[in-house]
Amino acid sequence: MQKVMPNVIANEPVKVTDEGVGSIHRQKYQEGKRVEEYDVETLLYQNKPDYKEVKVGFILANMFDITAYYELKKLDDNKTYFRYETTNQPIKWFMKLLIKLAISNKVVVKFVNRVKQVAEDESSVNT
């Protein structure tokens, strides 16, 4: 997680379930000098040898309801299908206006490119 999300400075288990769904981790996210702390709940979880899927959700700063979905399928020994979806729903009415003005895919594209780079780096180290 630290390699693809360097701003997440802590990820501590609060509640861990055997099946994964319902597990809660307390994360700390640092942006500059500001640190936000929030609980991330696992909403969907599958961990099979050739298929992995996880969906998490959390409330950030009592202002945003955020979900993130990750899906990985092994296509062959050197190729993996990766799908990432995220939602960011404002909770406060005034934030809805700001979100409409600031919608950008740059953050998502940057994240997906970082995941790709880390995966390729890890793959070249393990070969």
Side-chain angles (χ1 to χ4, degrees), residues 15-25 40-47 53-56:
K15 172 185 164 189
V16 178
T17 65
D18 291 337
E19 62 279 350
V21 174
S23 292
I24 297 173
H25 287 77
V40 179
E41 181 178 2
T42 302
L43 305 170
L44 179 71
Y45 183 81
Q46 286 192 63
N47 186 11
E53 179 181 46
V54 67
K55 181 176 183 179
V56 297

mmCIF file of all heavy atoms in Angstrom, residues 15-25 40-47 53-56:
data_model
loop_
_atom_site.group_PDB
_atom_site.id
_atom_site.type_symbol
_atom_site.label_atom_id
_atom_site.label_comp_id
_atom_site.label_asym_id
_atom_site.label_seq_id
_atom_site.Cartn_x
_atom_site.Cartn_y
_atom_site.Cartn_z
ATOM 1 N N LYS A 15 -10.952 -3.729 13.261
ATOM 2 C CA LYS A 15 -11.788 -4.935 13.315
ATOM 3 C C LYS A 15 -11.457 -5.752 12.062
ATOM 4 O O LYS A 15 -11.503 -5.223 10.957
ATOM 5 C CB LYS A 15 -13.267 -4.544 13.308
ATOM 6 C CG LYS A 15 -14.233 -5.688 13.172
ATOM 7 C CD LYS A 15 -15.658 -5.154 13.054
ATOM 8 C CE LYS A 15 -16.598 -6.223 12.544
ATOM 9 N NZ LYS A 15 -17.912 -5.659 12.227
ATOM 10 N N VAL A 16 -11.097 -7.009 12.249
ATOM 11 C CA VAL A 16 -10.759 -7.873 11.119
ATOM 12 C C VAL A 16 -11.685 -9.083 11.144
ATOM 13 O O VAL A 16 -11.790 -9.765 12.162
ATOM 14 C CB VAL A 16 -9.277 -8.327 11.179
ATOM 15 C CG1 VAL A 16 -8.954 -9.258 10.029
ATOM 16 C CG2 VAL A 16 -8.352 -7.119 11.168
ATOM 17 N N THR A 17 -12.363 -9.320 10.016
ATOM 18 C CA THR A 17 -13.256 -10.469 9.911
ATOM 19 C C THR A 17 -12.569 -11.572 9.106
ATOM 20 O O THR A 17 -11.679 -11.295 8.303
ATOM 21 C CB THR A 17 -14.577 -10.085 9.225
ATOM 22 O OG1 THR A 17 -14.312 -9.708 7.879
ATOM 23 C CG2 THR A 17 -15.278 -8.945 9.961
ATOM 24 N N ASP A 18 -12.993 -12.805 9.306
ATOM 25 C CA ASP A 18 -12.407 -13.935 8.586
ATOM 26 C C ASP A 18 -12.618 -13.841 7.079
ATOM 27 O O ASP A 18 -11.733 -14.176 6.306
ATOM 28 C CB ASP A 18 -12.992 -15.262 9.095
ATOM 29 C CG ASP A 18 -12.539 -15.590 10.506
ATOM 30 O OD1 ASP A 18 -11.480 -15.070 10.932
ATOM 31 O OD2 ASP A 18 -13.236 -16.361 11.189
ATOM 32 N N GLU A 19 -13.786 -13.364 6.670
ATOM 33 C CA GLU A 19 -14.086 -13.287 5.234
ATOM 34 C C GLU A 19 -13.647 -11.965 4.592
ATOM 35 O O GLU A 19 -13.774 -11.786 3.401
ATOM 36 C CB GLU A 19 -15.580 -13.535 4.976
ATOM 37 C CG GLU A 19 -16.535 -12.539 5.609
ATOM 38 C CD GLU A 19 -16.828 -12.785 7.083
ATOM 39 O OE1 GLU A 19 -16.455 -13.827 7.633
ATOM 40 O OE2 GLU A 19 -17.431 -11.886 7.696
ATOM 41 N N GLY A 20 -13.137 -11.042 5.372
ATOM 42 C CA GLY A 20 -12.670 -9.759 4.833
ATOM 43 C C GLY A 20 -13.737 -8.684 4.847
ATOM 44 O O GLY A 20 -13.496 -7.571 5.285
ATOM 45 N N VAL A 21 -14.928 -9.005 4.352
ATOM 46 C CA VAL A 21 -16.026 -8.031 4.330
ATOM 47 C C VAL A 21 -16.381 -7.661 5.760
ATOM 48 O O VAL A 21 -16.504 -8.518 6.628
ATOM 49 C CB VAL A 21 -17.254 -8.598 3.579
ATOM 50 C CG1 VAL A 21 -18.444 -7.653 3.680
ATOM 51 C CG2 VAL A 21 -16.910 -8.869 2.122
ATOM 52 N N GLY A 22 -16.514 -6.364 6.002
ATOM 53 C CA GLY A 22 -16.819 -5.881 7.348
ATOM 54 C C GLY A 22 -15.587 -5.499 8.147
ATOM 55 O O GLY A 22 -15.706 -4.901 9.212
ATOM 56 N N SER A 23 -14.412 -5.835 7.638
ATOM 57 C CA SER A 23 -13.173 -5.428 8.316
ATOM 58 C C SER A 23 -13.045 -3.912 8.267
ATOM 59 O O SER A 23 -13.491 -3.264 7.315
ATOM 60 C CB SER A 23 -11.949 -6.059 7.644
ATOM 61 O OG SER A 23 -11.937 -7.455 7.833
ATOM 62 N N ILE A 24 -12.444 -3.352 9.309
ATOM 63 C CA ILE A 24 -12.260 -1.897 9.387
ATOM 64 C C ILE A 24 -10.799 -1.613 9.733
ATOM 65 O O ILE A 24 -10.233 -2.229 10.628
ATOM 66 C CB ILE A 24 -13.191 -1.274 10.443
ATOM 67 C CG1 ILE A 24 -14.657 -1.498 10.034
ATOM 68 C CG2 ILE A 24 -12.890 0.211 10.622
ATOM 69 C CD1 ILE A 24 -15.676 -1.081 11.073
ATOM 70 N N HIS A 25 -10.215 -0.681 8.989
ATOM 71 C CA HIS A 25 -8.843 -0.226 9.245
ATOM 72 C C HIS A 25 -8.853 1.283 9.443
ATOM 73 O O HIS A 25 -9.538 1.993 8.710
ATOM 74 C CB HIS A 25 -7.922 -0.572 8.066
ATOM 75 C CG HIS A 25 -7.601 -2.025 7.985
ATOM 76 N ND1 HIS A 25 -8.497 -2.952 7.506
ATOM 77 C CD2 HIS A 25 -6.495 -2.704 8.339
ATOM 78 C CE1 HIS A 25 -7.943 -4.141 7.557
ATOM 79 N NE2 HIS A 25 -6.729 -4.026 8.064
ATOM 80 N N VAL A 40 -11.720 2.941 7.329
ATOM 81 C CA VAL A 40 -12.009 2.367 6.020
ATOM 82 C C VAL A 40 -12.653 0.995 6.235
ATOM 83 O O VAL A 40 -12.068 0.133 6.890
ATOM 84 C CB VAL A 40 -10.717 2.216 5.185
ATOM 85 C CG1 VAL A 40 -11.023 1.588 3.837
ATOM 86 C CG2 VAL A 40 -10.032 3.571 5.010
ATOM 87 N N GLU A 41 -13.856 0.817 5.689
ATOM 88 C CA GLU A 41 -14.550 -0.463 5.815
ATOM 89 C C GLU A 41 -14.455 -1.240 4.511
ATOM 90 O O GLU A 41 -14.661 -0.688 3.426
ATOM 91 C CB GLU A 41 -16.025 -0.250 6.163
ATOM 92 C CG GLU A 41 -16.766 -1.567 6.331
ATOM 93 C CD GLU A 41 -18.219 -1.400 6.734
ATOM 94 O OE1 GLU A 41 -18.699 -0.265 6.850
ATOM 95 O OE2 GLU A 41 -18.877 -2.448 6.941
ATOM 96 N N THR A 42 -14.160 -2.527 4.614
ATOM 97 C CA THR A 42 -14.131 -3.405 3.443
ATOM 98 C C THR A 42 -15.563 -3.823 3.135
ATOM 99 O O THR A 42 -16.228 -4.455 3.958
ATOM 100 C CB THR A 42 -13.248 -4.644 3.706
ATOM 101 O OG1 THR A 42 -11.932 -4.194 4.053
ATOM 102 C CG2 THR A 42 -13.171 -5.527 2.474
ATOM 103 N N LEU A 43 -16.019 -3.452 1.936
ATOM 104 C CA LEU A 43 -17.398 -3.704 1.533
ATOM 105 C C LEU A 43 -17.537 -4.947 0.664
ATOM 106 O O LEU A 43 -18.603 -5.568 0.615
ATOM 107 C CB LEU A 43 -17.937 -2.483 0.775
ATOM 108 C CG LEU A 43 -17.833 -1.152 1.521
ATOM 109 C CD1 LEU A 43 -18.165 0.011 0.606
ATOM 110 C CD2 LEU A 43 -18.716 -1.160 2.755
ATOM 111 N N LEU A 44 -16.470 -5.316 -0.047
ATOM 112 C CA LEU A 44 -16.455 -6.467 -0.936
ATOM 113 C C LEU A 44 -15.040 -7.021 -0.937
ATOM 114 O O LEU A 44 -14.076 -6.237 -0.954
ATOM 115 C CB LEU A 44 -16.850 -6.014 -2.349
ATOM 116 C CG LEU A 44 -16.876 -7.029 -3.470
ATOM 117 C CD1 LEU A 44 -18.063 -7.978 -3.279
ATOM 118 C CD2 LEU A 44 -17.019 -6.322 -4.808
ATOM 119 N N TYR A 45 -14.899 -8.349 -0.903
ATOM 120 C CA TYR A 45 -13.553 -8.920 -0.849
ATOM 121 C C TYR A 45 -13.529 -10.326 -1.433
ATOM 122 O O TYR A 45 -14.328 -11.171 -1.027
ATOM 123 C CB TYR A 45 -13.069 -8.972 0.604
ATOM 124 C CG TYR A 45 -11.658 -9.478 0.757
ATOM 125 C CD1 TYR A 45 -10.576 -8.633 0.547
ATOM 126 C CD2 TYR A 45 -11.410 -10.789 1.120
ATOM 127 C CE1 TYR A 45 -9.276 -9.097 0.698
ATOM 128 C CE2 TYR A 45 -10.109 -11.262 1.263
ATOM 129 C CZ TYR A 45 -9.058 -10.399 1.053
ATOM 130 O OH TYR A 45 -7.767 -10.855 1.197
ATOM 131 N N GLN A 46 -12.655 -10.543 -2.406
ATOM 132 C CA GLN A 46 -12.376 -11.867 -2.957
ATOM 133 C C GLN A 46 -10.874 -11.968 -3.154
ATOM 134 O O GLN A 46 -10.261 -11.036 -3.689
ATOM 135 C CB GLN A 46 -13.055 -12.076 -4.311
ATOM 136 C CG GLN A 46 -14.543 -12.298 -4.241
ATOM 137 C CD GLN A 46 -15.070 -12.779 -5.580
ATOM 138 O OE1 GLN A 46 -14.710 -13.837 -6.065
ATOM 139 N NE2 GLN A 46 -15.921 -11.958 -6.170
ATOM 140 N N ASN A 47 -10.293 -13.091 -2.748
ATOM 141 C CA ASN A 47 -8.856 -13.279 -2.892
ATOM 142 C C ASN A 47 -8.596 -14.702 -3.371
ATOM 143 O O ASN A 47 -8.372 -15.602 -2.583
ATOM 144 C CB ASN A 47 -8.137 -13.012 -1.565
ATOM 145 C CG ASN A 47 -6.639 -13.058 -1.716
ATOM 146 O OD1 ASN A 47 -6.105 -13.083 -2.817
ATOM 147 N ND2 ASN A 47 -5.951 -13.071 -0.604
ATOM 148 N N GLU A 53 -10.486 -9.039 -5.826
ATOM 149 C CA GLU A 53 -11.461 -7.954 -5.902
ATOM 150 C C GLU A 53 -11.659 -7.395 -4.504
ATOM 151 O O GLU A 53 -11.808 -8.145 -3.545
ATOM 152 C CB GLU A 53 -12.764 -8.528 -6.454
ATOM 153 C CG GLU A 53 -13.903 -7.561 -6.588
ATOM 154 C CD GLU A 53 -15.148 -8.254 -7.119
ATOM 155 O OE1 GLU A 53 -15.508 -9.346 -6.652
ATOM 156 O OE2 GLU A 53 -15.779 -7.667 -8.007
ATOM 157 N N VAL A 54 -11.637 -6.073 -4.403
ATOM 158 C CA VAL A 54 -11.891 -5.441 -3.104
ATOM 159 C C VAL A 54 -12.568 -4.089 -3.346
ATOM 160 O O VAL A 54 -12.258 -3.382 -4.304
ATOM 161 C CB VAL A 54 -10.593 -5.282 -2.268
ATOM 162 C CG1 VAL A 54 -9.626 -4.304 -2.896
ATOM 163 C CG2 VAL A 54 -10.900 -4.883 -0.850
ATOM 164 N N LYS A 55 -13.529 -3.799 -2.484
ATOM 165 C CA LYS A 55 -14.180 -2.488 -2.495
ATOM 166 C C LYS A 55 -14.181 -1.987 -1.069
ATOM 167 O O LYS A 55 -14.539 -2.716 -0.146
ATOM 168 C CB LYS A 55 -15.614 -2.575 -3.023
ATOM 169 C CG LYS A 55 -16.303 -1.212 -3.076
ATOM 170 C CD LYS A 55 -17.686 -1.318 -3.691
ATOM 171 C CE LYS A 55 -18.330 0.044 -3.811
ATOM 172 N NZ LYS A 55 -19.666 -0.048 -4.427
ATOM 173 N N VAL A 56 -13.732 -0.748 -0.888
ATOM 174 C CA VAL A 56 -13.701 -0.133 0.433
ATOM 175 C C VAL A 56 -14.475 1.174 0.400
ATOM 176 O O VAL A 56 -14.658 1.776 -0.656
ATOM 177 C CB VAL A 56 -12.248 0.112 0.919
ATOM 178 C CG1 VAL A 56 -11.501 -1.194 1.077
ATOM 179 C CG2 VAL A 56 -11.509 1.059 -0.007
#
